[in-house]
C-alpha cells in the first residue's frame, strides 16, 4: 500500500510526497525488520530530499523489485510454516 503511494507521487512528480512516503515505508520496514526494504526506502528518501528526480526514478525500480521479492519471501515462509503445522 505504501509502495503504491510512492509510485503515485512519482507519477505526479511530487518529490515532497515521495520523500514523506519513503520515510513512512522505511519506518514500517524497520518495525518488521525488513532490512532490504528499509535500505531501499532510505535511498529513495535521501534522493527525494536532495531533489534528485533522476536518482529517484532510477531507484524506484529497485525499490519495487525489493518490495515484490520481500512479499514473495514472506508468503513462501508463511506457506511453508502453515504446511509444516498441518503435517504435525
Amino acid at each position: 500500500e505504501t509502495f503504491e503511494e510512492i509510485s503515485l507521487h512519482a507519477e505526479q512528480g511530487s518529490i515532497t510526497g515521495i520523500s514523506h512516503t519513503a520515510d513512512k515505508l522505511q519506518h514500517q520496514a524497520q518495525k518488521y525488520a525488513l532490512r532490504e526494504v528499509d535500505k531501499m526506502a532510505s535511498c529513495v528518501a535521501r534522493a527525494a530530499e536532495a531533489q534528485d528526480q533522476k536518482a529517484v526514478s532510477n531507484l524506484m525500480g529497485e525499490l519495487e523489485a525489493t518490495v515484490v521479492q520481500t512479499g514473495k519471501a514472506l508468503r513462501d515462509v508463511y506457506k511453508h510454516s502453515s504446511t509444516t503445522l498441518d503435517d504435525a
Side-chain angles (χ1 to χ4, degrees):
E1 181 177 300
T2 305
F3 177 76
E4 285 101 14
E5 190 177 338
I6 293 174
S7 295
L8 181 61
H9 288 302
E11 288 173 13
Q12 297 170 344
S14 172
I15 206 83
T16 304
I18 292 168
S19 177
H20 173 73
T21 310
D23 282 337
K24 181 177 164 184
L25 179 59
Q26 183 181 8
H27 291 338
Q28 289 174 345
Q30 288 171 352
K31 180 179 176 181
Y32 296 105
L34 304 173
R35 287 191 274 301
E36 292 303 313
V37 173
D38 175 15
K39 186 169 36 174
M40 285 307 307
S42 174
C43 290
V44 171
R46 285 194 314 260
E49 288 166 11
Q51 303 286 311
D52 189 341
Q53 188 67 43
K54 185 174 180 179
V56 168
S57 294
N58 291 336
L59 291 166
M60 285 299 295
E62 291 181 55
L63 177 60
E64 179 178 20
T66 302
V67 168
V68 169
Q69 289 171 351
T70 301
K72 183 181 180 313
L74 290 171
R75 283 188 297 279
D76 289 348
V77 167
Y78 176 76
K79 185 177 171 182
H80 177 72
S81 67
S82 294
T83 304
T84 303
L85 290 174
D86 291 343
D87 292 343

